[in-house]
Amino acid sequence: MAGGWHSHKTLLWSSSPPAINRNNVELGSMIIEENFPLKNLNTFKIGGSARYFCVAENLEDLKKAVRFAYKHSISFFVIGGGSNTLISDGGYKGLVIKNSIKGVSFEEQKDGTTLVSAGAGENWDDLVQKTVEKELTGLENLSGIPGTVGGAPVQNIGAYGVEVGSSILSVETFNSETMVVEILSVKQCFFGYRDSIFKNPFGKSHIITKVVFSLKKNGKTNIIYRDLKEYFEKKGIKEPSVKEAREAVLLIRLGKFPDLNETGTAGSFFKNPIVSEEFFKKLSKKFLDMPFFPAGEGKIKIPLAWILDKVCNFKGKCFGSVCFYEKQPLVLVNTGGAKAKDIMEVSEKIIALVKEKTGIEIEREVQFLK
Ligand code: NAP
């Protein structure tokens, strides 16, 4: 599921971090707190403490936080909603920076589009709601995804046939290597399937501060995915409005995904695998009813939930407190008391079994902070 967003910069220590003052540090209006518990900053509700923690409410805070990390030769990690992050039981030895940069503005353009600028620390679904209220098309299928605006481009969140990258005009970042603000065009973000430049080592120095979307007033909504199509067929609606599409997505998600207020989870734990057509042809001889979707030239996407359910028989199963959600096995849940170590061990088992049964090497979508 869409996520907490991260920029992770590792600096050099040999084995343990250098000794620094054990008290909280005041940097102007921003406080750097020591030994800060991270459990309530991620949706799994798991993990130890950060050696240091601060909340960055603006660019200046961000700069101060990064300088602090450099000065003390510690690594830093930027977190948004913590909805795509598994935090190690031993915590994090560096500085965790919670990106809380706010602000949303709308600017109508002569060509009929509206530019929507949103601070990286804004709640993602609140932003989607605001765009839908203004009848702007583009983000409605991404309704109900947890996390922040800054997290959306990192993994190019996608749902019901729409990826956020297709509505983004540019991403403003603070480059922690050069210490300057940069504007990355959509092309420079290299959006791919649940992927972007911000996930690869080359882009890790970019801390997202603002995202600019280009949305159309009352454009055509996308209802090609089965759940949405069936929903509107039942209602006899051929071309739903943006508001109707958002309502439908929220309702469908409610029936399929756990409520983060009640259940510890990071949503989909793995990415759906994309394989070559040739590989898929061989595999489909063994698994005749395996569903598949075209995923670009010569590529096929296989819903991993189907493999976990029908091939591995994992749906609804538990290993201790780590369970496969009964309605969607791609979602791992902490039913209470699970440690990060337990989740990682279960995920290793899943990766190994899927490889053994199908030959597919699956990848985690959730990032592990240790
Ligand atoms: P679903 O609709 O039951 O579909 C199962 C899988 O098949 C999905 O993962 C989807 O791939 C793929 N699929 C279905 N219809 C397709 C079509 N017409 N063309 C191409 N691919 C198709 O999936 P679900 O588990 O209920 O999830 C609903 C949507 O929410 C999905 O799009 C899912 O990806 C999204 N979601 C996103 C995140 C995230 O961004 N981290 C987390 C949870 C769920 P895709 O995954 O490529 O859509």
Side-chain angles (χ1 to χ4, degrees):
M1 208 164 287
W5 69 291
H6 339 270
S7 168
H8 187 183
K9 179 115 182 81
T10 308
L11 299 171
L12 298 174
W13 311 312
S14 43
S15 53
S16 55
I20 33 183
N21 208 334
R22 294 234 132 250
N23 298 316
N24 292 346
V25 181
E26 273 182 44
L27 294 179
S29 57
M30 186 177 67
I31 297 172
I32 303 224
E33 296 184 62
E34 206 175 6
N35 296 326
F36 192 91
L38 297 172
K39 209 171 169 169
N40 291 325
L41 283 183
N42 70 92
T43 57
F44 257 129
K45 303 280 179 239
I46 283 179
S49 297
R51 174 79 191 274
Y52 289 101
F53 171 79
C54 67
V55 178
E57 289 182 351
N58 50 48
L59 186 61
E60 277 318 300
D61 286 349
L62 211 50
K63 284 184 186 167
K64 280 189 266 185
V66 171
R67 272 194 219 114
F68 176 88
Y70 281 143
K71 186 173 165 196
H72 297 286
S73 302
I74 54 173
S75 56
F76 64 85
F77 180 84
V78 181
I79 196 164
S83 57
N84 199 39
T85 311
L86 178 62
I87 294 169
S88 99
D89 303 314
Y92 181 61
K93 294 188 178 78
L95 168 68
V96 170
I97 306 168
K98 173 144 177 73
N99 189 325
S100 228
I101 300 175
K102 297 280 164 60
V104 178
S105 66
F106 295 84
E107 205 184 303
E108 275 183 41
Q109 305 295 293
K110 283 192 188 123
D111 65 0
T113 59
T114 298
L115 297 189
V116 183
S117 303
E122 288 286 342
N123 175 278
W124 172 255
D125 193 54
D126 289 351
L127 176 72
V128 176
Q129 188 176 352
K130 281 183 185 142
T131 63
V132 168
E133 274 164 11
K134 288 189 179 286
E135 295 172 328
L136 297 170
T137 324
L139 306 182
E140 62 282 0
N141 286 18
L142 307 175
S143 290
I145 296 184
T148 55
V149 167
V154 176
Q155 70 159 21
N156 189 16
I157 56 168
Y160 304 102
V162 172
E163 286 182 346
V164 74
S166 55
S167 291
I168 288 178
L169 185 70
S170 62
V171 175
E172 182 193 274
T173 71
F174 171 62
N175 188 332
S176 60
E177 247 156 41
T178 57
M179 300 298 273
V180 296
V181 173
E182 291 182 28
I183 311 279
L184 272 65
S185 68
V186 67
K187 226 173 161 189
Q188 289 172 307
C189 294
F190 289 96
F191 289 123
Y193 181 60
R194 305 288 186 271
D195 200 22
S196 72
I197 189 170
F198 309 109
K199 268 188 155 179
N200 78 42
F202 183 65
K204 286 274 182 190
S205 60
H206 290 277
I207 302 176
I208 298 173
T209 49
K210 197 202 284 182
V211 183
V212 181
F213 305 87
S214 172
L215 305 178
K216 242 193 194 160
K217 188 119 181 156
N218 281 323
K220 198 171 179 319
T221 50
N222 177 339
I223 55 165
I224 58 162
Y225 268 37
R226 197 184 61 196
D227 285 356
L228 268 180
K229 209 170 157 192
E230 284 177 2
Y231 174 97
F232 286 112
E233 268 167 13
K234 264 192 208 143
K235 290 199 165 254
I237 298 175
K238 280 210 173 102
E239 292 199 354
S241 67
V242 256
K243 281 185 186 160
E244 287 169 329
R246 172 170 166 82
E247 266 168 34
V249 168
L250 288 176
L251 257 175
I252 294 165
R253 289 187 69 101
L254 202 65
K256 208 157 188 183
F257 298 105
D259 180 351
L260 292 184
N261 295 315
E262 289 165 12
T263 312
T265 181
S268 305
F269 198 87
F270 299 97
K271 289 186 195 176
N272 287 308
I274 294 181
V275 300
S276 69
E277 264 174 10
E278 208 185 333
F279 180 87
F280 181 74
K281 261 187 207 151
K282 283 186 202 146
L283 199 64
S284 59
K285 283 191 187 130
K286 191 169 169 197
F287 302 106
L288 296 175
D289 47 355
M290 181 179 261
F292 65 97
F293 298 96
E297 213 176 311
K299 301 273 180 205
I300 298 287
K301 179 176 64 185
I302 305 171
L304 182 58
W306 187 90
I307 298 178
L308 297 179
D309 179 13
K310 308 286 189 230
V311 180
C312 303
N313 218 4
F314 279 145
K315 196 171 179 178
K317 289 246 167 78
C318 294
F319 293 92
S321 309
V322 185
C323 298
F324 293 83
Y325 192 55
E326 71 268 19
K327 293 179 193 154
Q328 170 46 293
L330 204 50
V331 173
L332 290 185
V333 298
N334 165 18
T335 56
K339 301 258 184 234
K341 184 176 141 278
D342 304 327
I343 306 248
M344 284 310 270
E345 275 173 16
V346 172
S347 71
E348 296 292 346
K349 273 188 203 152
I350 300 169
I351 292 170
L353 195 69
V354 170
K355 172 84 182 158
E356 184 194 315
K357 300 250 183 196
T358 65
I360 299 173
E361 285 183 25
I362 56 168
E363 275 176 60
R364 293 184 188 91
E365 186 171 300
V366 169
Q367 299 195 33
F368 188 43
L369 176 64
K370 56 181 178 182

